[in-house]
Amino acid sequence: MYRQRWCSLILGAVLCTPSLLHAEKINYSELENGDSITIPLDQLLPTQAVLDYDQIFANLQRYKADLKNMYNDLCRVNGAKGVKKWDDNSIPTDPETYQCTGKAGQDTDVLSTVVIGPEEGVLYLTEGLTLLSTFWDMPNGGTSVPITVKVNHNLLGSGDDFWAEMNNDNEVWLVNEKGKKIKPDDLPEYIGMKQLKHDKYLSLVNFLNGISYKPPKPDGKDNKTASIPFLALNWALELRQHMKITDYDLNDPEEYATALTEAATIMVDLPDDEVIGKSKRSASEMGQLDQVDSKALEELVTDENSAFGLALAYRVEKKEKSTPKAVLEEQEAQKEKEEQEKQEQEKKANEEKANGDKDAEDGQDKEKSDKDGETSE
């Protein structure tokens, strides 16, 4: 065993109290804001119906390149800093098989957050959905990966008032992948890509962080917390009103890059007092930049190690694995044909331009010759 665990089993969960050397069994009703518990992933219920698949794809590609990235993420998300030791026998479902540099729950600021209620043992995930869904969907992960989470609110016993309180506290996003309102009963039963749908506009927004907008920092007035609730989701909701993601093939790097360019331009061109999505905040308050950071955008779409590059690499490989060989060959042949036709059109246009320039030069020479003849007479 690599590390001591100051945790005890409590109704299917493990209570972790970093400040205590003796963990005591308690009930969910006794958990207070800030307490941390360790539970398997399948005990977490989502508070939204959509995901950014491309961030998950990027994570999975990172893990494929080096498994250390996965164990580092596991340690970090559990508040145990980074990974210290792991080997070929390590598995993410058993924390005893790898060692982190810290103890689980040590850094409470980075823990994913949950709301308890309205019944005993029901945990709604309110922060950390993308990374935890990555652990759910990765080949060696799944439902039993243990995760340490922090209690944000304990609404046990709130009964029929539970969803009203969740909505009032900005803890639930009731909009689906089509931008339509949904009810709490429509929320998926589990996290992960099999249950949550891909909001492609959300992918655009997350890629454009720092390029066309930058999440505001606390200013001590309106935005007193480190983040605005559902900032990226509201930007995604706004983008829906100004562009059609279906116009682009997101498996094609060039088309995806074009979609990002359009989205970035839309975001910076919006009036700074435009209310974004259903945030009740202006574009300026939502971190809108004055102009697109073209250099950062270029780096994003050209660097194969950027989140975009990693996600696209995963997309391409995933598409190739799921597409019959004959179809892939046909698509490749069609692409080559289109490229050849494009080159021929460019060649023809250049030849026509060259001929036009030559005709113009001949005309000028003839005109000059005529003028010289007139002068000699």
Side-chain angles (χ1 to χ4, degrees):
M1 184 170 71
Y2 283 132
R3 56 191 169 87
Q4 286 184 294
R5 305 169 72 190
W6 306 112
C7 306
S8 58
L9 189 65
I10 309 163
L11 297 173
V14 178
L15 174 70
C16 297
T17 51
S19 60
L20 300 178
L21 296 182
H22 307 287
E24 301 178 359
K25 290 186 178 181
I26 62 171
N27 295 319
Y28 280 97
S29 60
E30 296 178 331
L31 289 173
E32 298 179 352
N33 296 358
D35 285 343
S36 61
I37 55 175
T38 298
I39 43 86
L41 282 180
D42 62 2
Q43 197 172 337
L44 296 171
L45 297 174
T47 49
Q48 61 190 63
V50 296
L51 264 178
D52 173 0
Y53 280 17
D54 284 314
Q55 294 300 312
I56 294 179
F57 291 162
N59 287 335
L60 293 175
Q61 191 70 9
R62 286 173 52 239
Y63 300 166
K64 181 182 176 183
D66 187 349
L67 276 178
K68 182 180 179 181
N69 292 325
M70 178 190 69
Y71 289 108
N72 203 51
D73 281 355
L74 279 166
C75 289
R76 181 174 55 82
V77 82
N78 280 308
K81 301 182 179 179
V83 66
K84 183 177 181 180
K85 186 185 296 183
W86 67 279
D87 55 38
D88 292 340
N89 295 318
S90 301
I91 52 176
T93 53
D94 184 1
E96 304 297 332
T97 64
Y98 62 94
Q99 184 180 8
C100 301
T101 56
K103 297 177 181 179
Q106 181 176 338
D107 185 358
T108 58
D109 290 338
V110 301
L111 296 179
S112 301
T113 57
V114 296
V115 172
I116 300 174
E119 300 172 358
E120 184 84 6
V122 177
L123 302 174
Y124 281 94
L125 180 65
T126 55
E127 186 70 35
L129 178 62
T130 301
L131 190 52
L132 298 194
S133 289
T134 302
F135 297 156
W136 180 287
D137 288 309
M138 63 189 183
N140 50 356
T143 62
S144 59
V145 174
I147 294 295
T148 301
V149 296
K150 181 171 61 177
V151 176
N152 233 15
H153 299 290
N154 192 336
L155 298 180
L156 188 63
S158 57
D160 294 339
D161 295 330
F162 177 77
W163 288 112
E165 291 193 43
M166 288 285 283
N167 195 55
N168 185 61
D169 292 337
N170 292 309
E171 301 282 16
V172 61
W173 178 262
L174 296 175
V175 180
N176 65 15
E177 79 281 6
K178 298 179 180 178
K180 305 297 183 183
K181 291 183 180 180
I182 59 173
K183 298 178 180 179
D185 288 344
D186 298 321
L187 289 170
E189 297 178 355
Y190 300 102
I191 64 175
M193 292 187 289
K194 289 184 179 179
Q195 292 255 342
L196 284 82
K197 303 298 182 183
H198 186 191
D199 186 337
K200 297 174 182 177
Y201 295 92
L202 179 59
S203 291
L204 295 177
V205 173
N206 284 333
F207 279 138
L208 293 173
N209 187 342
I211 294 174
S212 55
Y213 78 102
K214 185 178 292 185
K217 294 181 179 179
D219 58 14
K221 298 177 183 177
D222 184 38
N223 178 27
K224 295 180 181 179
T225 59
S227 62
I228 294 176
F230 307 117
L231 183 138
L233 284 162
N234 274 299
W235 271 116
L237 199 59
E238 183 67 28
L239 278 181
R240 288 178 179 276
Q241 311 303 317
H242 304 278
M243 66 180 290
K244 288 185 178 181
I245 197 66
T246 52
D247 290 343
Y248 301 95
D249 177 5
L250 300 187
N251 288 318
D252 184 308
E254 290 186 6
E255 288 200 33
Y256 206 146
T258 304
L260 285 168
T261 301
E262 180 185 359
T265 304
I266 288 170
M267 292 173 76
V268 300
D269 284 348
L270 287 171
D272 58 12
D273 60 353
E274 180 90 6
V275 175
I276 302 302
K278 59 173 189 170
S279 67
K280 298 181 181 179
R281 298 173 189 262
S282 68
S284 178
E285 292 171 327
M286 294 286 277
Q288 178 193 45
L289 297 180
D290 294 333
Q291 60 184 11
V292 175
D293 187 336
S294 300
K295 182 179 179 181
L297 179 58
E298 179 69 16
E299 291 176 353
L300 174 72
V301 300
T302 57
D303 184 358
E304 61 182 19
N305 292 317
S306 70
F308 177 81
L310 293 168
L312 263 291
Y314 187 89
R315 273 178 169 273
V316 170
E317 185 174 329
K318 183 170 180 284
K319 181 182 178 182
E320 288 177 350
K321 285 183 177 179
S322 61
T323 306
K325 184 178 180 181
V327 175
L328 285 173
E329 290 176 348
E330 183 180 343
Q331 291 176 346
E332 186 62 28
Q334 179 63 28
K335 189 174 181 180
E336 289 179 1
K337 181 181 177 182
E338 291 175 355
E339 184 63 27
Q340 185 176 357
E341 290 176 350
K342 181 181 178 181
Q343 291 176 357
E344 290 176 353
Q345 290 174 356
E346 290 177 352
K347 182 180 179 181
K348 184 179 179 181
N350 290 334
E351 288 176 349
E352 290 178 350
K353 184 177 184 300
N355 291 334
D357 291 343
K358 187 175 183 303
D359 290 342
E361 289 177 4
D362 291 344
Q364 290 174 356
D365 290 343
K366 185 177 183 304
E367 183 178 348
K368 185 175 183 300
S369 177
D370 291 342
K371 286 183 178 179
D372 290 345
E374 291 175 0
T375 302
S376 62
E377 291 177 358

